Amino acid sequence: MIAPVRAAQRLTRRLRPAPPAPFETPRRRRDPSPSRLRYRLDRLGRRGYVRFALRRLAPPAALMLMALGAWQSATLREAVHERVESLRASLMDRPEFAVSRLEIVGGAPELQARVSNRLGLSFPVSSLRLDLPALKTEIETMPGVARAVPKVMPDGALRIGLVQRAPEALWRWDGQLHLVDADGVLISPVAHRADRADLPLILGEGADRAVAEALVLWKRAEPIHDRLRGLIRMGERRWSLALGGDVLVHLPAENPEAALQRLLALDAADDLLDREISVIDFRDPQRPVLRLTARAVAELERAKALIKGKDA
Amino acid sequence: MRHALFDSQRLMRDQLRSALKRGLLAVLDIGTEKTSCLILRIDPARLASGARENGALGGFAAMRVIGAGTTQSRGVRLGEITDMEECERAIRTALQRAEKNAGVRVDQVVAAVSGGRPTSFGATGDAEVMSGEVSEADVAAALVGCPEPPLEEGREILHALPVNFTLDGASFLSDPRGMNGQSLAVDMHVLSVASAPLRNLARCVRRCDLELAGVVTAPYAAGLASLVEDEQELGAACVDMGAGSTGVSIFLRKQLICLDSARVGGAHVTRDISEAFSLETAIAERMKVLHGGVVATGLDDRELISAPVLGGEGQERTLTRAALIGVIRPRVEEIFEEVRMLLDRAGFQGLPSRRIVLTGGGSQLPGLEDAARRVLGQRVRVGRPLRVAGLPQNVTGPAFSALVGLAVYSVRPHDEFWDFEAPSGLSGGTRMRRAVRWFKDNW
């Protein structure tokens, strides 16, 4: 029998009147004999498998049925959802988790301002609501940022460690000058070449993908920095140097440093670059080719004629 | 005697054996006044080992009472069922209480029948021992050699106990199996009861979804529980004073040798009181239990008892205890006279020790022993049932001797006629014909 029924029986037993005194006619009591159905049920309940089913299987089954019923009813599910949400919110909004300010470390002040604008956080915010990996990827997609390390500090600050990209070259692309780093990643646009005269200018198709190569050449070409106007990527495989006075130096795709070395040596020995030359072609390392300017050719022809005439 | 007579007995024995193997058994005593039930848990391993060590009484250590239930009987008169419906309800109540108490479910039940006019017969049979050593088949042959008892119409054999074996003139053997000799004779005690009460009992029990695993006469069970072992050995009579009938069982050499019953008991005493003082039966019963006695003293004249008058609205009458005793005593003496008549008829005077043990609910009257001594002789005592492990305190009184005796009997039942293997009296041809018929019937 179930517990509440037992408790009720216990109560009624307590409320029952006292037993009759000797020789008082006892009250007519209820027949204590169980009905046939009751007797059969009782004995069925004492069978091993029935007991097992009632004790071990029925409670979990009832629980599962109840859970299923609750799941089926939309209002109940919503109520539970709401309650869970409010609980979660109250937990998140506790002052222990609050982040009250932003601290950006590293990078130029202009970049810091850009980052803080981009994040657009309104403080205070719960640290549980902040998605630090997402913040990190978002900041790192910004131009000029190499690496960002966001971290919630114990004093309630969101500290972002920034590593700025170092501008290594100027890239002219689509008529516009851009600062790029050693990996060829854009940093910011620049208005005039003169703003960053210290950096090499690169241009041409695919120039941004070979910035490292250009930088090596730039370093090698230090003696002629005053002449060197820029490096041009040709056919996405080799570099040409554009020098002052419309001089082009074609460097080979393989081992351009050796060719550059040779150019410098020629210049030092014979002042090659001071002569009237329009193109110096080092593409075939065995046979460098020079092309004179039109005026030089005319001058040469004149000189030749003079020599001929004198001879003649 | 033929084995075919005892098919139902053999079926009940099988039930009992399977219950003992399973280790759970209920015993049920449907008396005139109360219906009570015990549930026994039996350890089959200890039962088997106890039999080897301690003989017949070794089974008790393996038995434990785990539940008891008692309720008032209705629909039973003089130990016989008169209202099936009421009796069934009483059985259900008692059994359900006991099951609730024990927390188990039992299906096999051994019941006691207290009425039914039991009659004892003696029978003797003999047989030649086939080989030099007495085997079970020899015993069975000797038992089959007993003549049929003169059964009247409507009577059934309830017990057929081999009480004594004689092997080549050497008597007083309880079990001759394995001994050497040529001729084996057996004395058998056959007890018959009226079959109608027996059938009613079986039907009642079956209607309660129970299997009957044995039926024992109540005086026999009471004797098993209330006589000590030496009394059973030396010869003693157990007088089971029930409410509806008074049974007498005589034991000698640990065997039941005679059983009889008088159809008068404690309920008659109550009725006398009720009639003499015009009281309600329930109040008369209460007065008997609280104030009754058999021997009056001078003090009893001054002890006044007041009781409501039958049918009188709140009127009370006062009577002295001496008057009450004056009503009880003649009836008790009448019961003892009846008992003495039964004992004389059974030849109790010839036994070596003539102890008489009074038990049953009626034996609780104060001063009963003195009254019994005056009628039955000096060697009278009041006996309580044997102590059985786990027996609740309220079931240890003399009123429950028959119930406890049933438990004792069921754990170690006496080998009866039908427990010895039937010698196959069939010739080869008959067997063959039977086999063929069985195949025909089944396919």
Side-chain angles (χ1 to χ4, degrees), chain A residues 1 6 20-26 31-36 38-40 42-47 51, chain B residues 74 88-89 92-93 95-97 99-100 103-107 207-210 280 283 305-306 308:
Chain A
M1 212 181 293
R6 277 213 187 129
F23 301 129
E24 188 187 317
T25 316
D31 188 350
S33 69
S35 69
R36 188 184 290 270
R38 178 81 190 277
Y39 172 77
R40 289 219 168 126
D42 201 76
R43 276 168 62 80
L44 184 69
R46 292 190 197 288
R47 280 199 185 279
R51 278 176 96 80
Chain B
R74 287 164 305 183
E88 203 186 312
R89 282 163 78 161
R92 286 207 301 257
T93 312
L95 190 88
Q96 196 184 36
R97 271 183 198 165
E99 277 188 341
K100 194 171 179 181
V104 296
R105 175 199 163 105
V106 282
D107 288 313
R207 279 172 58 152
C208 294
D209 309 332
L210 297 166
E280 268 183 45
I283 290 171
I305 311 161
S306 61

Side-chain angles (χ1 to χ4, degrees), chain B residues 393-407:
Chain B
Q393 178 65 37
N394 58 354
V395 190
T396 53
F400 296 92
S401 312
L403 187 68
V404 175
L406 273 180

Side-chain angles (χ1 to χ4, degrees), chain B residues 17 31 77 132 136 146 158 162 214 267 302 306 335 394 403 441-442:
Chain B
R17 232 169 263 140
R77 269 195 73 234
E136 193 165 325
C146 289
L158 186 59
R302 278 170 278 156
S306 61
I335 293 173
N394 58 354
L403 187 68
D441 289 348
N442 287 286

